[in-house]
Amino acid sequence: MIVGVPTETYPGERRVATIPAVVPALTKAGLDVLVETGAGDAAGFLDAAYIAKGARIATDRQQVFADADVVLQVRSLGANPVAGRADLERLRPGQTVIGFSEPLGEPGAAGELAARGVSAFSMELIPRISRAQSMDALSSMATISGYKAVLLAASTLPRMFPMMMTAAGTVAPARVFVVGAGVAGLQAIASARRLGAKVEAYDVRPAVKEQVESLGATFVDLPLDTESSEDKGGYAVGQDEAFYARQREMMSRVVAGSDVVITTALIPGRPAPVLVTDAMVGGMTTGAVVVDLAAERGGNVEPSRPDETVIAHGVTVLGPTNLPATVPYHASQMYAKNVVTLLLHLVKDGALQLDLEDEITRGTLVSHGGEVVHPRVCDLLAPPD
Ligand code: NAD
């Protein structure tokens, strides 16, 4: 069985789905690895390094798609809606594609892959169970986003992060407020603390208070009713607009007192809640920085725009949508581990053997046998009356 790794074509995407270090795990399982020439260049993994680990290099993209039984991508069609379209006609019935694909935001892509007879697995749908932790690419990428959001804020802010007592006077530490303490938020807290900032954080899930405090940050206690704020999977449950209005009102004081606000609040399958209004940004000091990691999902911050730098009331508002691509070496290393672990989970005796009773296989399979098979994606394509 041949595993193909094409070059990523989404604009600005510098990651690659497989790195040389994971090739031996694939060859040991009886799989051949075929990498498009230059696929790892932008992440720092050159053709020679893949060859040294036992992969073959294909000189053209067509060959990767023609020869591969399984195509590994960072962004397959749904997550690469324009440039990814060119690959659709390269795919053939019976082929398998594994990658991020925005199955809940772009369900139509699953339909198109199904129509071509392709079996598609979505990395976004890896269940959050302990046995699947090493496949959890959303978590690995969120870790990188949280870290990089802090670096962006620190390099944009006209102040330093750490407190310094110097002969030229004392420099006060930057005050950072992190909204949403999931995977990205916790990494943002840890990174801001390492740089010496004074960090506060809030999340609707009261369970994270302890994690926030263990990182040396202060949990902001807002008197909101958050009893039913967490679902069985550990994700936040969407609240009504009245709740968010109260949350914004209660957070206003903390936002106004912060030099940096980093927002990461998401509700699976729904647009991100607006938690920082234009007026709240207006209450911040001149030169303050807001990084909205939810910008791609509609945004937690009213004035943020995806991938734009907006200056609102003298405050710099950033809305980066693909921070993992800006740390391509480690992002590719982590993603490769995730995607290869999933692939090896699906392989037995050198071939794909799909056990549709298995929670991980069933939970991530979006199209198969010419049909869209994931219930949540099916519902989105044909909403029940
Ligand atoms: P996410 O990206 O969906 O959301 C980010 C954070 O925003 C969450 O912590 C959420 O509670 C928070 N949020 C939502 N609405 C908010 C609001 N109005 N105000 C403030 N915060 C708000 O979540 P995630 O980071 O992917 O992970 C969420 C949970 O899943 C965490 O408990 C995490 O530990 C858990 N998790 C479990 C596993 C596993 O068991 N394998 C793996 C990864 C994550």
Side-chain angles (χ1 to χ4, degrees):
M1 191 174 99
I2 297 178
V3 178
V5 183
T7 306
E8 293 297 315
T9 56
Y10 183 77
E13 186 53 76
R14 293 161 66 200
R15 291 171 288 179
V16 59
T18 298
I19 66 163
V22 301
V23 171
L26 295 170
T27 45
K28 206 173 137 206
L31 313 180
D32 283 336
V33 182
L34 182 63
V35 180
E36 182 178 348
T37 183
D41 280 3
F45 303 103
L46 304 183
D47 289 356
Y50 287 99
I51 293 170
K53 291 289 184 186
R56 286 184 296 126
I57 299 294
T59 45
D60 83 289
R61 187 175 188 83
Q62 186 61 37
Q63 191 197 336
V64 177
F65 280 88
D67 291 0
D69 300 292
V70 177
V71 177
L72 299 184
Q73 292 181 298
V74 176
R75 292 175 176 271
S76 63
L77 185 59
N80 186 11
V82 181
R85 195 142 293 283
D87 291 333
L88 204 50
E89 62 188 40
R90 298 188 173 109
L91 291 164
R92 60 181 147 75
Q95 216 164 17
T96 296
V97 174
I98 310 180
F100 283 123
S101 65
E102 297 282 341
L104 305 180
E106 297 282 341
E112 290 183 85
L113 289 170
R116 286 204 76 86
V118 170
S119 297
F121 288 88
S122 257
M123 291 305 285
E124 289 94 337
L125 297 174
I126 294 280
R128 277 171 158 191
I129 54 176
S130 25
R131 162 169 98 80
Q133 259 177 3
S134 51
M135 309 173 196
D136 184 356
L138 273 187
S139 286
S140 353
M141 298 304 112
T143 300
I144 295 177
S145 298
Y147 156 81
K148 194 63 191 275
V150 169
L151 296 192
L152 274 186
S155 62
T156 307
L157 191 71
R159 298 164 177 260
M160 292 194 283
F161 264 36
M163 184 178 95
M164 286 187 197
M165 291 162 99
T166 77
T170 297
V171 171
R175 292 156 302 173
V176 175
F177 181 33
V178 176
V179 184
V183 181
L186 289 172
Q187 188 53 235
I189 294 168
S191 302
R193 287 286 301 140
R194 279 185 211 119
L195 284 178
K198 195 168 170 293
V199 183
E200 292 179 288
Y202 177 71
D203 196 296
V204 274
R205 295 179 299 115
V208 300
K209 181 177 194 294
E210 233 173 83
Q211 297 168 37
V212 166
E213 288 172 349
S214 73
L215 292 170
T218 305
F219 189 82
V220 177
D221 272 311
L222 303 181
L224 288 163
D225 177 12
T226 52
E227 230 167 68
S228 54
S229 62
E230 183 163 342
D231 69 13
K232 286 200 301 289
Y235 283 110
V237 174
Q239 307 287 335
D240 59 16
E241 186 40 40
F243 178 98
Y244 292 131
R246 278 198 306 282
Q247 181 179 351
R248 288 191 293 264
E249 192 187 323
M250 288 172 185
M251 284 194 340
S252 283
R253 182 191 50 80
V254 189
V255 169
S258 301
D259 302 306
V260 170
V261 173
I262 296 174
T263 61
T264 74
L266 292 176
I267 307 294
R270 282 178 52 164
V274 175
L275 302 175
V276 179
T277 59
D278 186 62
M280 288 161 81
V281 171
M284 297 177 78
T285 54
T286 301
V289 178
V290 179
V291 183
D292 184 2
L293 287 186
E296 195 178 11
R297 308 238 173 267
N300 291 142
V301 182
E302 205 174 29
S304 78
R305 296 287 168 268
D307 289 321
E308 281 183 30
T309 299
V310 175
I311 309 290
H313 314 283
V315 173
T316 306
V317 183
L318 307 172
T321 62
N322 195 8
L323 287 181
T326 69
V327 193
Y329 182 94
H330 281 133
S332 303
Q333 178 185 311
M334 294 166 89
Y335 183 77
K337 169 74 183 171
N338 298 143
V339 80
V340 163
T341 308
L342 172 63
L343 175 59
L344 292 178
H345 178 75
L346 306 173
V347 167
K348 228 187 205 158
D349 302 326
L352 278 184
Q353 296 199 11
L354 303 189
D355 170 9
L356 297 178
E357 298 300 308
D358 173 69
E359 186 181 357
I360 299 173
T361 307
R362 199 184 53 233
T364 46
L365 188 59
V366 174
S367 67
H368 188 54
E371 289 181 21
V372 176
V373 292
H374 197 283
R376 285 174 74 190
V377 182
C378 289
D379 284 354
L380 288 168
L381 287 172
D385 305 320

